[in-house]
Amino acid sequence: MVSTTTELISTACNRTPHALDWLDDSLIAFGAGTFVALYNPSVKEEEEVDQGVYATLQGHTKRVNCARFARTGGSGSATRVLVSGSVDATARVWVPVAGTDARAWECAAVLCGHTEAVIAVASVHLAHSGMVVTVTAGTDGTLRVYEYAHDISGGGRREGEGGEKGAPQNLQPVQTLDVGSRNALDVALTVLPAAGTHTGGGDGDGCAVLLATGNTDNRTHLYTRGSAGGEQFEKALALAGHEDWVTSVAFVRFQPDEGADSWRQNTTISHWRPGDIILASGSEDKYVRLWRIHPTGGSDGSSSSKDGGADKKAAQAMLDALTDSLRAGASIEDAAGSSSGSAAQAAQLSTQAHVMAGAAQSEHSVTLDSVLVGHDGWVHSVAWAQTQAPTLVTASGDSSVMVWAPDWDAGVWASVARLGEVGGAVVGFLGAALNPSGTSVCAHGYHGSLHSWARQKDTQADAGAGIANWEPQLSPSGHFGSVQDVCWDPSGSYLLSASLDQTTRLHAPCMRAGQQPQERPRWLEIARPQIHGYDMRCAAFVSGLQYVSGADEKVVRVFQATQQFVSLWRAATGANASEAGFDDASSALAVGASLPVLGLSNKAVESTQVQALMDADSSIINNSSSSDAHRTNDTYQVRQTHTDVVAAAAIARAQRAAGQSANGGAWLPMEEDLLRHTLWPEADKLYGHAYEIFAVAASHSGAWVATACRATAERFAGIRLYSTRTWQPPAVSVEGLETAVPLAAHSLTITRLCFSPPSAANGSSDDSDRYLLSVSRDRSWALYERTRGDGEGEEDDAAYAEPTGPYRLVRRQQKAHTRIIWDAAWAPDARFFATASRDKTVKLWPASLADEPSAPAKPVALAFPEPVTAIDFLPALLTGAADDSLRYVLAAALESGRVFVLEGAGRSDGAAVPTVWTPSEVPRAETHAAMVQRLAWRPRPERGRRSSQRLWQLASASDDQTVRILAVDL
């Protein structure tokens, strides 16, 4: 029986502002493709559970736009009820599976009713009734309200009725609010306390539920309803003041520790009272507005008290100081839409308190409290941390994340941290969240990767101002487009992935500080060799330090590793370069690489540039910035020279850091480093194809590279071979002329190319790469045999006498399948090969067919429930139960994302293709949610937790934007 565990889930956050939320120090949830990813940001180095994404929640059929944990009505803290909204026009409620320590989650309910995409969700848990109120906003111009029990996982799911026991139930809205063309971009929920319970902050009987929405009419709308079941939301106020769309809203309740009164010394919030609700609204006008909501009248902080009057004067003085610098006006409309101020009054900040009649049998006042100015681009998200003095984080398109806190001395809200990049490669941040204590920030940007920072405890900071040193933290990363290919380097040291997001990425098992050799490493992205201008389609390693890649262009590009990468890989993994087979070769590599301005070809950075900076003053290295490029002259040459210098400086810093950490834990690149400083230089370009490259393959000997492009006619469906010694096609003598002739056999696009492994059972490479196999969309496969040489690339420069060069066609099987053939793979001993097709079968073909071109083919067919899109054989034969038997292991992936591992018994004499195969399906929670594009077994096994255990690792790439590695115990 086959058992599997997940080693790596590499994925990116979706490009939507509300896709990420922070529950507590142990859980962040974010939308990734069509599923919700769960990430533990607080894993300590000494813990067994690896840091990173550990689970994905599957259920949505289209992109997840938003994910939010339900908040409690009293404290506002997050609960373990997660709601996600999707382009599939539904929202789903997720809860932990009982008895799993909250690491496994399940869908408890599907919220139906929307006719278009759900773009925002918010939920509040009413403790007194045990109910959860959820509001969803959709692009259909409606807000929909749902109610369900907080323990829905226990008693809220449907049983029977012809469906599977425990299947999620479909919930219909209890109320629909039509906002028309003024679409709500975000929603937030909290509880207005009942009369007489203001300072307590509870949500008992008589309280009201308060809903805020940020709309495209540049206003923030407020709705109220009672907390009893079946109550209806009613429009209360419309807050104006923003000059552009309101993109994000968030509530926080001011709840200082009982008995603590230090907040009274903070002039910024001294007029607040315990229990006040603060609403933050962010807008595309680059500003954030804070609105204070508090009960009217009484001794708990009304404007009639002496203290309240003095505090209000202080707040008025603060707002008057901002009036001259702000052109935006603020006014408040009531539920009927009538304005509370004239046009002249709207030209300045209004601090007039306006009464909001709620359902809690009390009136509340809404007042503009502060306007936060600091961002230079659209504000995409706002989020609070429930701390002693509330802390706010904002994310903007200006490539910055700002942390705001009330300044103790200045009497205004100040930015205590501006995080991100200045003039860097991050194209703005779309969302950010704070952990409950306000000491860590997690943000996601346009490229999908997470960026994390933590406030350092040992910093010498001004405690009153809240200024501290924030250090970047290691965060998971991944592709934000369909992953088309994965391949291992020949030694199995690291995995390369290629994606439609126009990047290739390297993943390797990295050691934690102080980790023992017998402990399991964690898989991380350690380099981004290629950041291209075209969608990536395929890649193949020629050697451990060189690979070729194909994209939606007519050129195949060759990339060479750098000395910086080898140093980084050794420091991160603790591996020995000589064991990987490239210790001697690394000294001849370029030091690093940089991307030219407006260019697509990575340029090598030579050792002389780095050495000059290493010998120079350290301030030059530490202070180099890409923004310096414009200080002298904005010409291409000056900017390009500076790009090289900055890249060399970064490489020098990386080398120093790697050297310093080699003995005390790995230095690992952050997202900013991966974007700019881990490139591989381009060594060559291979020309010849007329259309976009679709398939590449490298021979096991490293002597040949085979390529194919998209084709709709036979003349374009040829295979082109290139020698890795010269990076030129082999010369073929045709009528006395030397020319390059492609291998012809197909009439449509070739989908996969495979060189045969050594056929000897002992692993000898004497006949490695004897055959080249191709499969095509024309439903046929073709087998080519090597014409001369031993495959080691030692042939002379004389032209090939054979008209097809180093390989010749020996067998073509037309109509091998009834539908498109997507993939092919060789058995580890090259005795047979497999083809996978859309006709829901995998067929096994003996290699002896090449010796008998006219013999009828009788393949062994394996049937599957869905189209098979990817296959791969384990690169080793396992010993069977009988002395003379061997076990073949085949992995197969289906169009829906399901993965199977099949074991077939064969005889040691190789008399026949195995006909009996035993399938085992990988648990659905560990597989993909969309079509699998590629499977690849690691060339060597890894030691398991037991000394005798050997685990084989299976990598997979999918349209669901993830790269996964499964450890398979065979």
Side-chain angles (χ1 to χ4, degrees):
M1 185 66 179
V2 174
S3 62
T4 60
T5 55
T6 300
E7 297 270 309
L8 169 70
I9 303 175
S10 176
T11 188
C13 187
N14 289 337
R15 294 178 176 178
T16 53
H18 315 303
L20 181 145
D21 199 16
W22 202 320
L23 172 65
D24 52 31
D25 288 335
S26 64
L27 183 58
I28 290 176
F30 61 91
T34 61
F35 47 73
V36 179
L38 302 182
Y39 158 50
N40 186 349
S42 64
V43 175
K44 303 299 187 296
E45 297 290 349
E46 63 273 10
E47 294 184 13
E48 291 187 0
V49 180
D50 292 337
Q51 184 183 42
V53 176
Y54 64 85
T56 53
L57 310 181
Q58 301 181 18
H60 289 292
T61 58
K62 295 183 179 179
R63 184 188 67 191
V64 175
N65 285 328
C66 48
R68 286 289 183 268
F69 291 101
R71 262 60 185 179
T72 57
S75 65
S77 59
T79 69
R80 293 189 179 275
V81 173
L82 174 64
V83 183
S84 60
S86 169
V87 178
D88 63 12
T90 67
R92 287 179 174 261
V93 181
W94 309 89
V95 294
V97 177
T100 60
D101 195 23
R103 287 188 59 85
W105 291 59
E106 61 183 348
C107 181
V110 179
L111 309 183
C112 307
H114 283 285
T115 58
E116 296 183 20
V118 178
I119 58 175
V121 297
S123 303
V124 62
H125 173 216
L126 306 178
H128 73 280
S129 64
M131 299 295 291
V132 175
V133 177
T134 294
V135 176
T136 60
T139 56
D140 56 7
T142 64
L143 303 170
R144 299 183 187 264
V145 185
Y146 305 85
E147 290 184 359
Y148 48 89
H150 184 259
D151 60 349
I152 187 171
S153 61
R157 290 182 295 165
R158 180 180 66 245
E159 295 186 9
E161 299 181 3
E164 181 183 354
K165 180 179 180 180
Q169 63 174 323
N170 294 329
L171 296 180
Q172 298 297 327
V174 297
Q175 183 183 3
T176 300
L177 299 171
D178 189 359
V179 297
S181 60
R182 305 173 301 169
N183 281 344
L185 302 179
D186 196 17
V187 293
L189 285 170
T190 191
V191 170
L192 290 173
T197 64
H198 176 59
T199 58
D203 61 346
D205 293 335
C207 65
V209 180
L210 176 61
L211 166 66
T213 66
N215 292 52
T216 57
D217 62 357
N218 308 345
R219 287 173 168 80
T220 302
H221 297 264
L222 299 180
Y223 302 80
T224 60
R225 56 155 276 183
S227 61
E231 296 278 357
Q232 300 288 297
F233 276 106
E234 296 181 359
K235 181 72 171 291
L237 289 175
L239 309 179
H242 286 293
E243 287 190 324
D244 213 329
W245 291 0
V246 181
T247 56
S248 184
V249 290
F251 284 116
V252 69
R253 187 188 296 271
F254 180 52
Q255 290 182 311
D257 293 339
E258 186 175 354
D261 59 356
S262 59
W263 59 272
R264 299 181 185 273
Q265 310 304 318
N266 189 328
T267 57
T268 309
I269 60 174
S270 59
H271 61 288
W272 292 5
R273 292 296 176 265
D276 283 358
I277 294 173
I278 310 302
L279 170 64
S281 60
S283 169
E284 291 182 359
D285 64 8
K286 308 176 186 178
Y287 301 134
V288 177
R289 293 174 178 263
L290 303 184
W291 310 85
R292 179 186 173 215
I293 304 172
H294 57 94
T296 59
S299 59
D300 56 344
S302 68
S303 58
S304 62
S305 66
K306 294 182 179 181
D307 292 340
D311 294 338
K312 192 171 183 178
K313 290 181 179 179
Q316 179 67 54
M318 174 194 69
L319 294 171
D320 289 343
L322 291 174
T323 301
D324 294 336
S325 61
L326 294 176
R327 183 169 56 86
S331 61
I332 298 184
E333 294 182 358
D334 57 21
S338 61
S339 176
S340 62
S342 64
Q345 291 173 331
Q348 62 182 351
L349 291 169
S350 172
T351 59
Q352 179 182 0
H354 290 261
V355 176
M356 178 181 65
Q361 301 179 356
S362 63
E363 292 182 341
H364 287 74
S365 177
V366 182
T367 307
L368 178 64
D369 194 78
S370 296
V371 177
L372 310 187
V373 182
H375 283 296
D376 298 322
W378 293 354
V379 178
H380 291 299
S381 76
V382 296
W384 291 98
Q386 185 71 52
T387 55
Q388 179 70 13
T391 304
L392 180 71
V393 63
T394 58
S396 170
D398 62 4
S399 299
S400 70
V401 173
M402 299 182 73
V403 181
W404 305 82
D407 192 291
W408 287 70
D409 299 321
V412 296
W413 282 77
S415 172
V416 298
R418 188 183 184 101
L419 311 172
E421 284 194 293
V422 179
V426 177
V427 190
F429 288 99
L430 294 178
L434 284 161
N435 69 336
S437 61
T439 57
S440 295
V441 174
C442 184
H444 64 97
Y446 185 79
H447 291 112
S449 294
L450 302 186
H451 303 251
S452 299
W453 298 269
R455 189 172 64 197
Q456 302 304 298
K457 297 180 181 179
D458 57 350
T459 182
Q460 299 294 326
D462 183 351
I467 299 174
N469 182 30
W470 292 73
E471 293 291 336
Q473 305 295 306
L474 196 63
S475 300
S477 61
H479 291 286
F480 56 88
S482 170
V483 187
Q484 297 291 295
D485 202 359
V486 287
C487 58
W488 296 91
D489 80 293
S491 67
S493 300
Y494 36 80
L495 177 73
L496 179 71
S497 58
S499 168
L500 297 186
D501 67 3
Q502 303 182 351
T503 66
T504 60
R505 306 181 187 225
L506 279 173
H507 312 266
C510 299
M511 303 291 288
R512 295 182 288 267
Q515 180 173 330
Q516 299 301 316
Q518 66 272 17
E519 295 178 342
R520 300 290 298 160
R522 56 178 175 176
W523 285 83
L524 296 172
E525 181 183 350
I526 63 168
R528 207 164 292 173
Q530 187 179 4
I531 301 176
H532 203 34
Y534 294 93
D535 293 352
M536 304 301 302
R537 289 288 176 183
C538 48
F541 273 103
V542 177
S543 67
L545 298 176
Q546 191 176 67
Y547 77 89
V548 295
S549 65
D552 283 348
E553 57 174 343
K554 304 174 185 179
V555 181
V556 177
R557 298 176 185 265
V558 184
F559 291 88
Q560 192 83 19
T562 63
Q563 294 182 30
Q564 178 198 12
F565 167 76
V566 175
S567 299
L568 174 59
W569 171 74
R570 294 178 64 180
T573 63
N576 190 335
S578 60
E579 295 178 359
F582 52 72
D583 190 32
D584 296 336
S586 61
S587 59
L589 302 174
V591 178
S594 65
L595 184 63
V597 177
L598 301 179
L600 295 177
S601 301
N602 298 344
K603 180 181 177 181
V605 176
E606 302 300 335
S607 58
T608 53
Q609 295 173 278
V610 177
Q611 189 60 44
L613 284 172
M614 295 283 282
D615 297 337
D617 185 79
S618 60
S619 62
I620 298 178
I621 296 177
N622 295 328
N623 298 325
S624 294
S625 172
S626 58
S627 61
D628 297 338
H630 304 283
R631 291 184 179 178
T632 54
N633 187 9
D634 192 23
T635 65
Y636 174 84
Q637 184 173 1
V638 171
R639 293 172 65 191
Q640 181 55 52
T641 301
H642 180 78
T643 300
D644 295 342
V645 172
V646 171
I651 292 168
R653 290 196 302 271
Q655 287 180 334
R656 289 181 174 180
Q660 293 170 358
S661 63
N663 297 324
W667 178 85
L668 297 172
M670 303 297 173
E671 175 64 18
E672 292 75 11
D673 300 311
L674 293 170
L675 281 171
R676 294 184 296 180
H677 306 319
T678 59
L679 296 172
W680 288 18
E682 188 175 305
D684 217 319
K685 296 183 182 70
L686 310 182
Y687 298 94
H689 288 290
Y691 293 99
E692 299 90 341
I693 307 301
F694 199 85
V696 297
S699 63
H700 296 82
S701 65
W704 300 102
V705 168
T707 64
C709 71
R710 292 185 184 275
T712 56
E714 186 174 354
R715 66 181 183 274
F716 302 122
I719 301 172
R720 293 187 177 270
L721 293 170
Y722 300 87
S723 169
T724 58
R725 292 190 300 120
T726 62
W727 293 118
Q728 295 294 325
V732 177
S733 179
V734 179
E735 297 182 355
L737 298 177
E738 295 184 3
T739 184
V741 178
L743 302 177
H746 298 286
S747 58
L748 293 176
T749 302
I750 294 174
T751 56
R752 185 72 159 140
L753 296 167
C754 300
F755 286 91
S756 63
S759 61
N762 58 8
S764 172
S765 60
D766 292 343
D767 57 354
S768 178
D769 308 316
R770 177 183 176 185
Y771 296 111
L772 172 61
L773 171 67
S774 64
V775 295
S776 169
R777 296 175 68 97
D778 63 9
R779 301 175 293 172
S780 70
W781 58 257
L783 208 55
Y784 308 86
E785 187 176 21
R786 193 172 64 237
T787 58
R788 74 177 191 191
D790 57 5
E792 295 298 331
E794 300 297 335
E795 298 87 349
D796 54 37
D797 295 329
Y800 283 87
E802 292 286 344
T804 57
Y807 283 84
R808 62 183 177 89
L809 178 66
V810 294
R811 176 86 184 219
R812 182 190 180 192
Q813 188 69 36
Q814 296 185 356
K815 298 182 180 180
H817 287 267
T818 59
R819 303 291 296 275
I820 293 172
I821 303 178
W822 284 124
D823 204 359
W826 283 94
D829 55 3
R831 288 172 176 166
F832 61 95
F833 59 89
T835 56
S837 170
R838 196 173 183 179
D839 64 6
K840 304 181 182 180
T841 65
V842 170
K843 293 186 178 181
L844 310 178
W845 310 80
S848 59
L849 290 174
D851 302 326
E852 302 173 358
S854 60
K858 297 180 180 180
V860 175
L862 307 177
F864 289 85
E866 301 171 20
V868 186
T869 58
I871 56 174
D872 194 34
F873 277 101
L874 189 77
L877 289 170
L878 304 181
T879 304
D883 295 338
D884 62 342
S885 66
L886 299 172
R887 281 192 300 151
Y888 296 90
V889 178
L890 173 67
L894 309 186
E895 193 173 47
S896 65
R898 298 168 66 183
V899 177
F900 290 83
V901 176
L902 300 91
E903 296 181 85
R907 292 171 51 184
S908 59
D909 58 4
V913 177
T915 57
V916 179
W917 293 78
T918 304
S920 298
E921 184 173 4
V922 177
R924 200 68 181 93
E926 297 181 359
T927 58
H928 296 277
M931 175 176 171
V932 177
Q933 294 284 353
R934 189 74 75 228
L935 292 175
W937 287 98
R938 194 177 184 185
R940 54 183 172 84
E942 282 292 302
R943 181 170 52 196
R945 298 189 182 278
R946 302 188 309 271
S947 59
S948 60
Q949 187 182 30
R950 292 294 181 267
L951 300 176
W952 288 91
Q953 290 165 318
L954 176 65
S956 57
S958 171
D959 284 342
D960 66 7
Q961 306 179 13
T962 65
V963 174
R964 294 174 182 257
I965 296 179
L966 293 174
V968 183
D969 187 357
L970 298 172

